[in-house]
Amino acid sequence: MSFSHPVLANLSEIARISRSYGSEKYYLIFFSVLTAFALLWIVMYLLDLRKKPVAQKSTKVTIPLFIQLCQTHKLSSVQATLLETMTDRAGLQPPETIFIDPSLWTHCIDESKQNREPLLKIMQSLFGLERVERWFPDYTSEPNG
């Protein structure tokens, strides 16, 4: 077969040479894009790891001060509940002030007469017998037995 036109005669030769020429560029572009995505993923992953410890610190559970004070003074759960009920009934806000001001106990104990003795024992463990006797002269401590 002979072609009359010189470009058409060399068309099969041109197609054979150009087959591998364009595909090399496509592979280079494809792998460049793939590498860019991989680097972007690594950067995002590292930033996410860096943010997680901060998020864990901010979600740390905080224990209310009242409960911390009850635990520090080694009050039983019954005593802590009784103390919390006493401060609620007396309208004492914040309830933690009951741990620092013994003068508040007179009002709170007057509001909770049925629990007077257990409350006075809690007051004695927090402030000592002398303070309890100063605020409540009729209180007598029972000997530990």
Side-chain angles (χ1 to χ4, degrees):
M1 274 193 166
S2 79
F3 293 101
S4 61
H5 197 281
V7 174
L8 292 177
N10 291 329
L11 193 58
S12 64
E13 176 98 15
I14 293 171
R16 185 181 59 80
I17 293 172
S18 65
R19 270 188 211 140
S20 64
Y21 178 73
S23 63
E24 288 177 10
K25 284 186 178 179
Y26 290 125
Y27 286 126
L28 183 63
I29 292 170
F30 176 74
F31 285 117
S32 297
V33 170
L34 189 64
T35 304
F37 277 124
L39 288 174
L40 180 65
W41 180 82
I42 290 171
V43 168
M44 296 297 287
Y45 178 76
L46 292 175
L47 287 174
D48 189 42
L49 282 179
R50 187 173 169 215
K51 289 180 183 179
K52 279 188 180 179
V54 173
Q56 290 174 352
K57 288 179 187 174
S58 65
T59 59
K60 181 181 176 184
V61 176
T62 57
I63 299 172
L65 181 59
F66 185 84
I67 294 172
Q68 288 178 356
L69 289 168
C70 289
Q71 290 172 350
T72 301
H73 289 286
K74 296 182 176 126
L75 298 179
S76 69
S77 61
V78 173
Q79 289 175 322
T81 304
L82 180 62
L83 197 57
E84 186 175 26
T85 304
M86 177 188 76
T87 57
D88 285 344
R89 285 184 184 162
L92 188 62
Q93 291 299 324
E96 296 85 17
T97 56
I98 201 73
F99 286 93
I100 57 171
D101 190 359
S103 66
L104 296 173
W105 284 75
T106 55
H107 174 67
C108 292
I109 289 177
D110 289 343
E111 292 291 319
S112 182
K113 292 184 185 207
Q114 67 274 13
N115 294 318
R116 186 176 196 277
E117 289 302 314
L119 289 170
L120 288 172
K121 286 183 182 182
I122 296 170
M123 185 181 183
Q124 180 183 346
S125 70
L126 294 175
F127 299 107
L129 181 60
E130 299 81 26
R131 282 258 168 97
V132 176
E133 288 175 344
R134 183 184 326 158
W135 294 103
F136 300 96
D138 59 332
Y139 176 72
T140 56
S141 175
E142 297 174 3
N144 293 338

